[in-house]
Amino acid sequence: MALTHDNDLIQLQIDQPPADTNKTAANGAPAGEPETWNSTVPAFNPLFDHTPEPEPLAVSPDLVAELADPAFEIEAFLAAERSKDLLRFSTAGSVDDGKSTLIGRLLYDTRSVYEDQVRSIEGKGSAGAGVLDLALLTDGLRAEREQGITIDVAYRYVSTARRKFIIADTPGHEQYTRNMATGASTADVAIVLVDARKGVLSQSRRHAWITALLGVRHVLIAVNKMDLVGFDQAVFDRIVSDFTAFFGSIDFGDEVGTGNTELRFVPVSALAGDNVARVSDNLPWYNGPTLLELLETIPVSVAELAQPFRLAVQRVVRPDQHFRGFAGQIASGTIRVGDPVLVLPSGRTSRVASLVTFDGNLSEAAAPLSITLTLEEETDISRGDLLSSVGEPATVTNQFTASLVWMDQQSLDPSRRYLLKHTARTIQARVSRVEHALGIDLATQATDTLALNGIALVEIETVLPLAVDTYASNRTTGSFILIDSETNATAAAGMIRSFSALPRTPQASDGPVTAAERAHRWGHPGAILNLRAPATLINAVERALFDRGVFLLRADPSIAPTLAAQGAVALTAEPADSQDFHATIADLSTAGTLTETSLSDAAASVLALLRQFEQAASEQTKGSAL
Amino acid sequence: MAFAVLDHPLSPVTSPERLSHLRRLEAESIHILREVAAEFGRPVMLYSIGKDSSVMLRLAQKAFFPGPLPFPLLHIDTGFKFEEMLSFRDEMARSVGAELLVWRNEPAIAAGTNPIALDTKRCCGLLKTTALLDALAHYGFNAAFGGARRDEEKARAKERIYSFRDRAGQWDPKNQRPELWNLYNARLHPGESIRVFPLSNWTEMDVWQYIHEENIPIVDLYFARDRPMYLRGDALLPVEQAFVARSGSDGKPEQPTMVRSRLRSLGCSPCTGAIRSDADTLPKIIAELLSFRTSERANRAIDHDQEGSMELKKREGYF
Ligand SMILES: Nc1nc2c(ncn2[C@@H]2O[C@H](COP(=O)(O)OP(=O)(O)OP(=O)(O)O)[C@@H](O)[C@H]2O)c(=O)[nH]1
Ligand SMILES: [Mg+2]
């Protein structure tokens, strides 16, 4: 491995006044600290606020004094903390671009490291005499310190007056791409580093590609080591245009591509701290925000709230025979008591009876809360089922196109079955076709296999149907992993791009007659009505609905969605011996076809109708039993 | 070109619709607890009585409400825990209705193992690591929850939420399973196990704020009181075990001094230093936390026996 480090580093000027040891002792620091450590680090300070611009470290305000200030109100602090937002970001870029140094710098300048942690890295590492090798604050494994590279993700935490951050510092070395993907998979923002001297390297491109592939919406490109190019604006400008041109050429094989991604560029020196948490005098031509300011102000998407409701059932909670709840974390959207839900892949519907939490029942809950919900109708639901919005359901399919990042030493074997874990469901699946893989140059190339760290567009076939969305529309229900069932290794990470082979959720025709016109003519939206009851009952319901002018057709389950999409009530009957009457109804009208009457109103009115007939039917049973 | 290149940040900072950071952390932890309970045959929760365990236990109550905890609690008792920790432990288990298992490495305790007779490293090896591995093997547990957080130490910062352990209970930090999104690989071969860290993404500050917000009971040792302490330079050693006392130059045993003090983290009494403090309420503890210059584990003897000692201990099977 050619893992050399720079030795042409600038020397950081660290000359600060000695620490006030009295204060330290009062706070429990071990006694008799050698004076050699020249207190470069102020106290840990989650209150850190870089506006107004902090003085250079040496004269930074002393926090202990600040806290002794009667103006510091713990209650006000706690109130501010309560409303703080959480942002997750990861680093990416080629090996030695300075990712770990940048995160170390951020920890250091926001005073998010303790004195003993700084002391433990003093005089070590590769940054030269008198200069702290800040990468050692995050490179926490022995092998990493020995080799001077990052091997696996480090998770670090920073809190400022504006936001809390979860940071994933990832490795740049190609061999550890899977660890970089691990860090990026949960990030809201990615910082892609580019070494100013080297420009946009192929590994920088690859990482930027993977970052965008993993759906990170905000990409900050930190052009690092500006100190080594004399803080030259021309170097920065060239990298901005190179990167922008490259990024525009990315194609993931779907309509969305990088369309949702926002790029921002910042020139920095991670080692010296220019433009990381403090504005630099060395970059007078740059008027934009520092990296930290960007991180603090980037609007985090509330996309997960705007998306339709999804919750994968993790467990069925049955403490006794009176309670049957379904526990899971809301992946997207909002749910209220009384809302209809569609259970996938079975296609049954029910209504939310209660939203149960340890802290009391809720009337409404939104992503990403973990809740337990109960349903009105006793429905057969188990772990792995997806509760979905009725109006905008997930798609049930057993075949889809996905981007795959291969993570196992053992290459993909298309003849083998793998375990596929999607939300809370694990089933068998096969990679039936590799459409194309990404070469070193990021050009696509034909292949039929995939080796460690390879990226490809593939076709997946599952043994049982899954309820999925595209990754572009939902990060939770659009992602999966493949597990090698012999070695149990996590073999690949997948992002669903499209449902190529199976019928999509049928759309109402865009022909001369619109769905709204149909709904107006028949007085109801299209729906699937599933009845499980004795045949006499089913007949009675059909009769009653028909007599009331409902456009009702008996249908096989496979054709029902098509009929419902065109405005009919498709009756799928399951004759049963039991006297208990079971009816579910699914409203499959799409949002575009029913803009006037709200979807939930429409579903509610069809349900109300159904209830009426339910009543009539039970009346009738009594009659026939007599 | 489809994407946007932006010169300036957009203005809004937080959107009120977004859940607060504590609620987000809570939701993530509950998801992890439920996943493990659903996918492993024999899970157990390591309960160490400290503040992190207290938070983890509350999260478990929330995860399985209105049902009971679907796994027992396991306490590895080194014999050097503070007396009031043990009564607190029994009371907590009783009040949440959880089954409590206690495991001690009796042969080692009987042989007089202590951190002064041996060094801290070997003492921990016998009373904690060996005891833990024996207990897991004895009961056949294949998944064990621990309350460790990634902000505690830089080797922990590298660890996955599902931390895979081989048949000998060892961690291989250079070859961890990739862990994307919230899709955890729960597959094990017989004899293998995982340690699960539902509080991975919580910081010390988050834990204290959560305890405050949620009114979670914690051991009184965390609050400042006048307590007898042996003074060792600036360090304070709690008077709990007889062997901790040194004899003075005159041959008389060392006399403790009453000091207003508290513990920042709870471990074995001989290895856990107390700190001078007036923080006798949760808001005061949080305010004090803001002023600390050294990390939580700086007062624990065990973490700095040698460089990278946490990583080494974890490789051997330590939590
Ligand atoms: N002069 C200068 N050197 C820097 C700067 N940032 C990082 N370095 C040096 O570049 C080398 C690599 O830094 P790291 O932070 O370890 O790089 P990395 O990107 O984390 O590397 P991997 O994680 O292994 O991919 C170290 O010797 C740093 O001190 C900078 O802004 N200026
Ligand atoms: Mg690094």
Side-chain angles (χ1 to χ4, degrees), chain A residues 82 115-116 152 157 314, chain B residues 35 158 201 213 293 295:
Chain A
R82 242 167 251 140
E115 289 179 354
D116 51 312
D152 211 332
Y157 305 84
Q314 289 183 272
Chain B
E35 256 332 83
K158 292 277 167 179
N201 286 324
E213 301 250 309
R293 286 168 169 256
S295 70

Side-chain angles (χ1 to χ4, degrees), chain A residues 5 91 94-101 135 138-139 144 148-152 169-172, chain B residues 158:
Chain A
H5 276 280
T91 60
S94 189
V95 70
D96 274 359
D97 280 348
K99 297 175 290 298
S100 302
T101 306
T138 67
D139 286 341
E144 294 179 326
I149 58 161
T150 305
I151 292 173
D152 211 332
D169 179 37
T170 76
Chain B
K158 292 277 167 179

Side-chain angles (χ1 to χ4, degrees), chain A residues 44 81-82 86 115-116 142 144 152 155 157 163 185 263 314 359 370 383 421 471 486 488 490, chain B residues 4 6 13 18 27 31 35 39 62 157-158 181 184-185 189 201 209 213 290 293 295 307 311:
Chain A
F44 170 65
E81 288 282 291
R82 242 167 251 140
L86 187 65
E115 289 179 354
D116 51 312
R142 298 186 131 219
E144 294 179 326
D152 211 332
Y155 291 93
Y157 305 84
R163 250 186 191 155
S185 69
L263 302 184
Q314 289 183 272
D359 304 299
S370 284
R383 172 172 163 85
K421 185 169 184 187
Y471 189 73
E486 279 164 29
N488 289 338
T490 304
Chain B
L6 302 175
V13 175
R18 279 182 55 101
H31 175 265
E35 256 332 83
E39 292 205 300
K62 292 194 175 197
K158 292 277 167 179
W181 304 290
Y184 305 104
N185 179 349
H189 288 122
N201 286 324
Q209 288 183 10
E213 301 250 309
L290 291 171
R293 286 168 169 256
S295 70
E307 157 87 307
E311 179 181 342

Side-chain angles (χ1 to χ4, degrees), chain A residues 3-10 93-102 126-127 132-135 138-139 148-151 169-173 193 195 197 224-228 268-273:
Chain A
L3 300 171
T4 50
H5 276 280
D6 312 313
N7 37 25
D8 47 347
L9 302 178
I10 53 148
S94 189
V95 70
D96 274 359
D97 280 348
K99 297 175 290 298
S100 302
T101 306
L102 180 77
S126 66
L132 283 175
D133 185 348
L134 294 166
T138 67
D139 286 341
I149 58 161
T150 305
I151 292 173
D169 179 37
T170 76
H173 197 276
L193 273 84
D195 184 330
R197 296 168 307 173
N224 190 31
K225 307 197 186 183
M226 287 301 291
D227 53 289
L228 298 181
V268 301
S269 169
L271 191 65

Side-chain angles (χ1 to χ4, degrees), chain B residues 229-247:
Chain B
M229 292 285 160
Y230 296 122
L231 305 187
R232 300 282 163 82
D234 256 18
L236 307 175
L237 269 193
V239 177
E240 187 86 12
Q241 300 292 337
F243 63 80
V244 171
R246 289 173 179 161
S247 49

